[in-house]
């Protein structure tokens, strides 16, 4: 099944995706990581997206849809994936639905990480000291939050209206406790498995 990890910058979705990925041997597909790899490699795509990312903006939908379509077509994605950072706009969510329908796949669950903004800000400031991500500056954080509220948050309503399963995760808790709540949401259903 496809799991979507969804939430504002710094909510912990990348951390949890890595843990769940390891535990169930499922690909962790992080569009942010894929783009950072392109930037590091100095590819055409990397050059195109680097200034937008640094500023905290969103990459155009058509670019992102191309990136994710290519990734989901790879053989390791056939048994399900953890999608971290995609979709980030309603048009991306619509394109993803079309893409999955064409390949006979479905979204099993959308995990919506809930974390207060003051805590997000603290986490990003902390991550800035460790990771040196170009977009972990206070200015880029403000822009990323604004983009999240304006363009990404509506994606949850889109899924709820379509009857896709959306589950809230209290992300304002220790890492292991957040993992436990995700495992409880899966219940006895494996994130690798078919949707019941
Ligand atoms: P992340 O690692 O998920 O925080 O993503 C880092 C940055 O990559 C974002 O702030 C955007 O600039 C870009 N990005 C990643 N995924 C997407 C997406 N689905 N749509 C648009 N931009 C994205």
């Amino acid at each position: 099944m496809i799991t979507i990890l969804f939430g504002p910058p710094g909510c912990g979705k990348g951390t949890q995706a890595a843990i769940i990925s390891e535990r169930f041997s499922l690909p962790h597909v992080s569009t942010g990581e894929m783009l950072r790899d392109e930037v590091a490699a100095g590819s055409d795509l990397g050059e195109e997206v680097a200034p937008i990312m640094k500023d905290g903006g969103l990459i155009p939908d058509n670019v992102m849809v191309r990136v994710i379509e290519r990734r989901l077509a790879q053989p390791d994605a056939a048994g399900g994936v953890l999608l971290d950072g995609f979709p980030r706009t309603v048009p991306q969510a619509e394109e993803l639905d079309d893409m999955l329908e064409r390949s006979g796949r479905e979204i099993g669950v959308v995990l919506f990480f809930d974390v207060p903004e003051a805590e997000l800000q603290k986490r990003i400031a902390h991550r800035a000291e460790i990771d040196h991500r170009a977009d972990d500056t206070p200015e880029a954080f403000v822009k990323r939050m604004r983009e999240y509220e304006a363009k990404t948050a509506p994606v949850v309503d889109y899924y709820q209206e379509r009857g896709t399963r959306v589950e809230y995760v209290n992300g304002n808790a220790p890492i292991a406790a957040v993992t436990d709540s995700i495992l409880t949401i899966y219940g006895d259903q494996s994130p690798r498995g078919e949707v019941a």
Side-chain angles (χ1 to χ4, degrees):
M1 74 155 108
I2 310 273
T3 298
I4 293 178
L5 295 101
F6 187 92
C11 70
K13 60 188 163 42
T15 301
Q16 295 298 327
I19 294 169
I20 304 288
S21 156
E22 167 114 31
R23 188 156 177 150
F24 294 96
S25 304
L26 261 182
H28 171 193
V29 175
S30 158
T31 44
E33 277 302 316
M34 291 166 76
L35 296 175
R36 280 187 287 279
D37 287 348
E38 295 288 339
V39 173
S43 68
D44 287 349
L45 174 60
E47 300 220 333
E48 181 185 345
V49 301
I52 305 173
M53 288 176 79
K54 185 165 189 277
D55 194 40
L58 290 180
I59 308 307
D61 290 335
N62 63 331
V63 174
M64 292 314 301
V65 167
R66 229 174 37 225
V67 166
I68 206 76
E69 188 156 30
R70 219 175 295 148
R71 181 64 187 90
L72 292 182
Q74 287 173 18
D76 69 330
V81 293
L82 300 163
L83 268 188
D84 162 13
F86 188 95
R88 252 183 165 96
T89 65
V90 171
Q92 289 181 16
E94 288 168 346
E95 290 279 356
L96 178 64
D97 275 341
D98 287 351
M99 221 182 284
L100 295 177
E101 198 179 319
R102 285 199 296 274
S103 58
R105 287 183 282 184
E106 271 194 89
I107 297 164
V109 64
V110 178
L111 302 174
F112 181 14
F113 288 65
D114 198 15
V115 180
E117 186 167 339
E119 172 66 18
L120 297 171
Q121 206 168 1
K122 227 166 59 190
R123 289 185 188 179
I124 296 282
H126 178 66
R127 189 169 71 184
E129 289 169 15
I130 301 165
D131 276 359
H132 307 294
R133 255 175 68 162
D135 59 351
D136 277 344
T137 59
E139 298 75 25
F141 172 74
V142 168
K143 170 107 186 238
R144 284 157 72 202
M145 275 308 295
R146 238 188 280 132
E147 292 280 60
Y148 173 78
E149 280 156 10
K151 298 181 189 151
T152 308
V155 172
V156 170
D157 301 329
Y158 168 84
Y159 282 127
Q160 266 162 342
E161 279 158 23
R162 303 224 356 148
T164 302
R165 183 179 176 204
V166 176
E167 295 286 352
Y168 287 79
V169 174
N170 174 16
N172 194 18
I175 292 174
V178 179
T179 306
D180 281 347
S181 45
I182 294 171
L183 294 176
T184 304
I185 289 167
Y186 284 128
D188 43 22
Q189 189 177 41
S190 159
R192 294 192 66 85
E194 293 304 312
V195 181

